[in-house]
Amino acid sequence: MEIFIINESKTKDIYRQICDFNSKKKLIGLSRDTAVVVGGEQLSKITSATGTQNEKILEEFFDLTRSASVVIACRVSPKQKAEVVRIVRRKEAQNNVTTLAIGDGANDVNMITAAHIGVGIRGLEGQQAARASDYSIGQFRFLKNLMFTHGREAYRRNSYLILYMFYKNVIYVLPIFYFGILSQFSGTPFYNAVMYQCYNVFFTGMPICWFCTFDWEYPKERLLADPQLYRLGLTNKCFNSFVFWRWYLYAVWQSAVILYLSFVTFNEASGFAFNGDAIGDSLDYTGTFIIMSIVVLVNVKIFISTHTHTYLSVFWQVGSVMWFFVILLVLNMTPSSDLRGIMGVLLGYFNVYIIMFLYMSGFILVDLGLQ
């Protein structure tokens, strides 16, 4: 390894030395790793130079350190530590670089708060760094786990959480708007009020909570052994404008298909009339079937997105769908309910299951194909 030690005392000599190191580094190329060592006195003169000289020396210093394998700044003050972080943030702002600072003492607090992400180590030097940080760990060696396992998976899960929450709520409320077009915006509701309120709490709440807490795309050992998997976050693969609007459009077209095909299908002219009565003439029947279709769809979607299937994950996903039928059964048996007697009619005919299967298979296959 080639070691570049910046040890001159005057600013112009420091500038000349850095330029010489940059020239030598270009000659070395990629054949050898490089390390840069700079003292607190020299670093102070590099960051405090004024005017044009300041920009030149900072640019040369940054070029030297950016390509180095390691940079060691010794005998620096807390203010200088923070200044180094700010320089990196300013110089790399156009590249959307994220900085991370880690420290274990009170003299690291300025540096930790100046970085995008601050990590504090709880230890013999007190709790100041841990209190000022975004994340706190017990030992330095835990940083690898924090970044390459928990950090990577937290980014993936939280991205899915945001996308899924928009998706499942957009696909649920847009049929109300589409029905307004069919009913000339009369304001007639077709969702049962009780079922409508239970959607986020009972029908779709627990599966996403479980997913965001316990789902792992790969085993922890593989995440630590293969750093390429960490590029998922560096490239913003899980969450960007394209991904967000793709999920949003999924919800838009799927909700439209569910609503319009439900009203067209449950119609006497379609051949799917029950006992000679067009079930489409009853908003209670059609609205309940639409809710049932959406509840099954969003739970199937999170089921196929889950990588770590366990008894509990399947329990919450299947159980959320079963909650729908439990509450529907209660309303079916309540004398004052608008849905009294609906369960036997809606679930007693094979055509309902055919339509449900066509919905699920079509939507899921299209989603998987577009991804």
Side-chain angles (χ1 to χ4, degrees), residues 172 190-199 202-203 284 287-288 291 323-344:
Y172 191 53
F190 68 93
Y191 282 159
N192 178 267
V194 175
M195 304 294 278
Y196 186 80
Q197 295 297 327
C198 291
Y199 178 75
F202 296 106
F203 305 156
D284 293 332
T288 303
I291 295 178
W323 260 115
F324 169 83
F325 293 103
V326 169
I327 295 177
L328 181 62
L329 178 62
V330 173
L331 295 175
N332 178 77
M333 299 172 62
T334 303
S336 60
S337 173
D338 295 334
L339 302 184
R340 178 171 173 78
I342 195 175
M343 196 167 185

Side-chain angles (χ1 to χ4, degrees), residues 339-353:
L339 302 184
R340 178 171 173 78
I342 195 175
M343 196 167 185
V345 177
L346 190 63
L347 302 182
Y349 294 89
F350 188 64
N351 293 332
V352 169
Y353 305 100

